[in-house]
Amino acid sequence: MSGTVRIVVDDELISGRDGQTIAGVLIGSGRIAWRTAQHGERGVFCGIGVCHDCLVTVNGVEGVRACQRRAVEGDRIEREVRS
Amino acid sequence: MTHVAILGGGPAGLAAAQAALAAGAAVTLLDEGGRLGGQFWRHHAGITDPRMQHGFERFERLLGSLERAEVHSGAAVWSAELRDGGDGGGGRIVLRAVVGDADAADRRPVVVQADAVVVATGAHDLALPVPGWTLPGVTTAGAAQALAKRDGVSVGRRTLVAGAGPFLLPVAQSLALVGATVVGVHEASRTGALARGWLPKPWELLGKSGELAEYVGALVRHRIPYRIGSGVVRVLGVERVEGAVVAQLDTQWRPVPGTERVIECDAVALGHGFTPRLEAAIMLGCEVEGDRRGRFVVVDDAQRTTMPGVFAAGEVTGIGGADAALAEGAIAGFRAAGLAQDDPRLRDALRVRDRMRRLARRLERAHGIRPGWTAWLDDDTIVCRCEAVTKGAIAERAEVPLRAMRLATRAGLGPCQARTCGRAVEAIVAEARASAAVTGAAGEAVGGANAGAQGDGAVGFDRRPLLAPVRLGELAEPTEPASDENRNEAWPSGCSA
């Protein structure tokens, strides 16, 4: 019933199901980590917007919780690195 | 007309909205989610497997009742205040939010003024720290559930589910339904406690009768092993989860030496309980009661908090499940709209609530977190995930006031504002203080340790300067800017006093 949504992650085009969150599309594409934290890589932890582990940059806007933001066709996702 | 604002669009908030509308009030409902329903009715048409949904007809009826309500989904409510005396018109409750896509830069400000508010902000998972829990592939049980329900995906192919409480069962079922192999469900509580807590009607917390049987059926059908008195004490892996060490736990959740064994898996879902989302109630000035084991908003039989015009319902008043939340929400909504306690419209909800409260107490006795869990931590286990603060660093500074410890270590000062680690940090501090006191003056040990732990105020880590993450620019909108103090990420001085 749901269609497809395509997003660009670090210059790679991946597709998910329309209605999925960015985290859902990333996980559906086989990724489980996409942010570099102080001690290693992080992906989804709480899944409901509480922990901020899954932050990504979306269309140039930093600090977006991937588990809360619905993926929109053409979204450009960039990894975030915490120094 | 009475104007009732409702914070939260899960079972409690929706029931409150329906009741307040039925009693003739004007209703404004603010919910952070993109779609109403909260954690319990998280869904996406076309993605969510209907077998994961329970009581969905009730949800649809509740949605249908909202026609006359003003509903803001995607609302990050960052401030909730009671305006002092006088009547400037528009009601004494003032809520400020930004509304739009999650964390977008262009959300629009919304200010709601109301005569009464129902705080129905719910709870989130409490996953206790375990060595290795920052590895990709470890999530909360709630995350596994949310990803399965809302996105139709699972983080791993072989998932180990561990923690405590009946909520682990629907998580295992959802994982199986999205095609993951659940290699086991490890329940920390032991038979005695389970029997005492669950009997005679264990299924009530999960909803109407039959639901538990359905989960047990799913465990059998998917050949999922269910172990009690068992828990994950270490997660293994280099760049991601490669396995987990499980061990038997004693009645205090201390790992039993010699019982460890390695289970191969690529994901671990942890859920040791729930943490109520208290910050809105605390900002409104409501009294909270309890300790680090469980701290909730104080309410009376009418779901009234200690602040006039402020009601609370659902998990913020005690972890009780969806049926309790629906009943409490209805009572709060009716009362907030001005109905009397003996109004016949409240009768059904009052009966359900009282029954569910008794059940919740039994479940807490059976599944509540026991203090022995800290024995599975190493000194170098990261406890605060945001700031990578270790157990050793926290314990080392346990003697200084909580606020000073936090500033020195940065524990709980990262983006999640201690929502993830707060309870664990408090437990580690309390334990370190208690053992220091024992080796010191044994006579006043316990009292001293308690006094120290309480010296930081009854709300511990639950007071937050902002209720939701917002961007600085959003606070600067002309709808009354926040004070400079509140913009600081660090703890404003007035907040932990």
Side-chain angles (χ1 to χ4, degrees), chain A residues 4-16 25-26 29 31 72-77:
Chain A
T4 299
V5 62
R6 287 167 305 174
I7 61 175
V8 179
V9 181
D10 293 335
D11 297 324
E12 189 186 336
L13 188 70
I14 63 173
S15 57
V25 174
L26 290 169
S29 75
R31 291 161 171 81
V72 173
E73 180 76 13
D75 273 347
R76 298 192 74 86
I77 314 299

Side-chain angles (χ1 to χ4, degrees), chain B residues 80 82 280-288 305-307:
Chain B
L82 276 172
I282 290 171
M283 190 181 276
L284 283 161
C286 305
E287 195 182 316
V288 297
T305 70
T306 52
M307 294 304 283

Side-chain angles (χ1 to χ4, degrees), chain B residues 333-387:
Chain B
F334 282 134
R335 293 302 312 256
L339 294 198
Q341 187 78 357
D342 59 3
D343 190 290
R345 280 170 282 186
L346 271 76
R347 204 174 294 147
D348 287 350
L350 287 169
R351 203 183 55 242
V352 173
R353 180 196 62 190
D354 294 345
R355 179 164 55 81
M356 295 310 299
R357 272 195 183 162
R358 288 192 294 275
L359 175 82
R361 280 197 289 273
R362 288 208 302 276
L363 279 154
E364 171 55 28
R365 279 200 295 276
H367 296 281
I369 291 171
R370 302 294 188 268
W373 70 269
T374 51
W376 70 55
L377 299 175
D378 298 329
D379 270 353
D380 65 356
T381 303
I382 289 174
V383 172
C384 167
R385 300 173 60 94
C386 294
E387 299 291 325

Side-chain angles (χ1 to χ4, degrees), chain B residues 206-295:
Chain B
L206 292 166
K208 298 287 174 281
S209 55
E211 214 175 303
L212 182 76
E214 182 191 323
Y215 295 132
V216 172
L219 291 183
V220 172
R221 210 163 42 248
H222 297 287
R223 298 172 198 284
I224 300 171
Y226 183 74
R227 309 254 182 265
I228 55 172
S230 178
V232 169
V233 297
R234 182 175 299 276
V235 181
L236 306 171
V238 181
E239 289 187 339
R240 55 168 300 160
V241 175
E242 293 165 28
V245 179
V246 296
Q248 282 177 29
L249 305 179
D250 69 15
T251 55
Q252 294 307 306
W253 293 18
R254 229 173 276 114
V256 178
T259 62
E260 299 86 355
R261 64 196 171 90
V262 174
I263 294 181
E264 201 186 307
C265 57
D266 60 1
V268 175
L270 299 173
H272 298 92
F274 295 93
T275 306
R277 305 178 79 157
L278 298 174
E279 47 271 79
I282 290 171
M283 190 181 276
L284 283 161
C286 305
E287 195 182 316
V288 297
E289 175 178 84
D291 57 23
R292 65 180 186 280
R293 287 176 291 266
R295 197 150 49 218

